[in-house]
Amino acid sequence: GIAVNISTSASFFHSYHLAISPDSDQVAYVADITNGVGELFRVPVEGGESVKLNPPPVNSLADVYDRYFEFSPNNACVVFIFSTGTSGQELYSACEYNFDFAIYLPIIQK
C-alpha cells in the first residue's frame, strides 16, 4: 500500500527504539519536539493523532529513556522511564483509558 506518515513533526526522532503494541494497532515512539527533550508518543498504526504520554517536562534536562518503554500485554498501557528534569529517573504508566494523566510508579531499590 501507500506509506502513511503517522508521526508528529519533530526536530529529531530517536532511532534506538519504537514499540508496536501486541495487537499491532498502536506504535509508541520517542521524538524531540522542542528544546532537545525526548518525549514519548502513541499513535495508531493506520494513522491518526499522536498522543503525548509523558508528564510535562520541567526543563531541557527532562527525557524519556529511549530503550525503556513497553506496551502492556493487553495493549492498554505503555510503561516508561522518564525524568521531568528536577529529579532522577521515575517509572510511569500511561493507559489508553486516560492518556491525560500519567501514573507515577515509585522504584524501590534495595
Side-chain angles (χ1 to χ4, degrees):
I2 298 171
V4 176
N5 180 359
I6 60 172
S7 66
T8 61
S9 295
S11 60
F12 179 74
F13 290 96
H14 293 238
S15 60
Y16 301 117
H17 187 69
L18 59 86
I20 299 173
S21 63
D23 67 358
S24 300
D25 189 47
Q26 302 279 318
V27 175
Y29 65 94
V30 177
D32 289 350
I33 304 302
T34 55
N35 300 327
V37 173
E39 297 188 273
L40 185 62
F41 296 86
R42 178 180 179 149
V43 64
V45 169
E46 294 178 356
E49 185 176 341
S50 291
V51 177
K52 187 181 343 181
L53 303 179
N54 56 270
V58 174
N59 56 42
S60 63
L61 299 175
D63 207 5
V64 170
Y65 289 81
D66 292 335
R67 300 171 197 252
Y68 303 107
F69 61 92
E70 296 291 336
F71 278 90
S72 62
N74 68 355
N75 309 303
C77 298
V78 178
V79 176
F80 59 98
I81 296 174
F82 185 72
S83 173
T84 59
T86 59
S87 59
Q89 302 170 358
E90 298 173 331
L91 184 64
Y92 288 88
S93 70
C95 296
E96 188 173 48
Y97 49 83
N98 190 357
F99 282 131
D100 293 330
F101 180 71
I103 300 168
Y104 168 63
L105 303 171
I107 299 175
I108 299 173
Q109 298 179 358
K110 291 183 177 184

